[in-house]
Amino acid sequence: MPNENLEEIVSDERLKEGLKAAINARERAKTFRSKVGVAFEMYDGRIIPGFNIETYGHKGNHAEEVGLIVAMSEGYNGTDFKRMIEIFQDAGHDDVEVFPACPLDCWGRLLEFTHPYLEIVVADVRGKVHYRTTLKEMTSGIKPPAQVYPSNKIRLAKPKSNITPKLPLDKSLRPAYDSDLWFRQYCDEILKVRLD
Ligand SMILES: [Zn+2]
């Protein structure tokens, strides 16, 4: 049973719940090769799972994509997302090999539909956490002025419908809002986040 050692590995109850949800979601993956599970934790406490889907044709779905779509179908957007827990163990990999989401597609998608202060937790199928970081940290290795798509500039030039978060800005994001001008513009002008 992959879940039995969770207790001694993490003390944070919410994180433990998220890890279980991600491990369980991974068991629903529709695949013949890689099995990936994610759990998105929202600032109101909801945990939303995602799993990957492989097809025999051209285009499958990543677990991050599926979780994002399920969350968005419930009205969550942008700063509603607190963290993403990911369990990625590819076909033929060792039990403890982990993968930090997908740099090319999913980092961009997460930045587009969540926010840079999203916490990313990467764990293995036994629920052992290998590292915790933020989307901002993961995507900040690119030499300025290049950045992971999309910028605020393109978001302002091509405004998108229905991206206002369901919840007011969580108080834990307030320091970022107060100190990071880019994030403040994203909250105010693009997401139109409530501050109450
Ligand atoms: Zn992905």
Side-chain angles (χ1 to χ4, degrees), residues 6-20:
L6 285 178
E7 192 108 29
E8 54 194 66
I9 295 160
V10 280
S11 53
D12 176 343
E13 284 301 316
R14 298 296 302 158
L15 179 56
K16 227 186 286 182
E17 260 184 71
L19 282 164
K20 281 182 194 162

Side-chain angles (χ1 to χ4, degrees), residues 151-167:
S151 63
N152 279 355
K153 190 177 166 188
I154 193 135
R155 294 182 211 247
L156 287 164
K158 298 167 84 173
K160 205 181 272 179
S161 59
N162 295 314
I163 57 163
T164 298
K166 173 169 170 165
L167 312 168

Side-chain angles (χ1 to χ4, degrees), residues 36 38 52 61-65 84 86 88 99-107 109-110:
V36 187
V38 304
N52 67 314
N61 301 92
H62 288 195
E64 302 94 327
E65 291 178 89
M84 183 187 81
E86 174 149 14
F88 182 125
F99 188 78
C102 324
L104 291 177
D105 185 70
C106 287
W107 286 7
R109 204 174 282 248
L110 289 167

Side-chain angles (χ1 to χ4, degrees), residues 42-134:
M42 316 310 298
Y43 273 111
D44 63 2
R46 274 273 282 142
I47 290 176
I48 293 174
F51 51 83
N52 67 314
I53 300 166
E54 291 174 355
T55 72
Y56 294 111
H58 169 61
K59 173 70 174 75
N61 301 92
H62 288 195
E64 302 94 327
E65 291 178 89
V66 171
L68 277 173
I69 291 167
V70 174
M72 287 191 281
S73 77
E74 297 193 18
Y76 293 108
N77 286 291
T79 50
D80 291 335
F81 289 81
K82 181 180 179 189
R83 75 180 148 207
M84 183 187 81
I85 299 160
E86 174 149 14
I87 316 282
F88 182 125
Q89 292 194 245
D90 203 354
H93 284 197
D94 186 82
D95 257 13
V96 293
E97 279 182 281
V98 296
F99 188 78
C102 324
L104 291 177
D105 185 70
C106 287
W107 286 7
R109 204 174 282 248
L110 289 167
L111 268 181
E112 184 160 348
F113 295 102
T114 71
H115 60 90
Y117 298 96
L118 178 77
E119 188 189 356
I120 308 280
V121 177
V122 176
D124 62 38
V125 291
R126 297 173 203 156
K128 180 173 188 289
V129 172
H130 287 261
Y131 63 87
R132 298 169 75 164
T133 183
T134 60

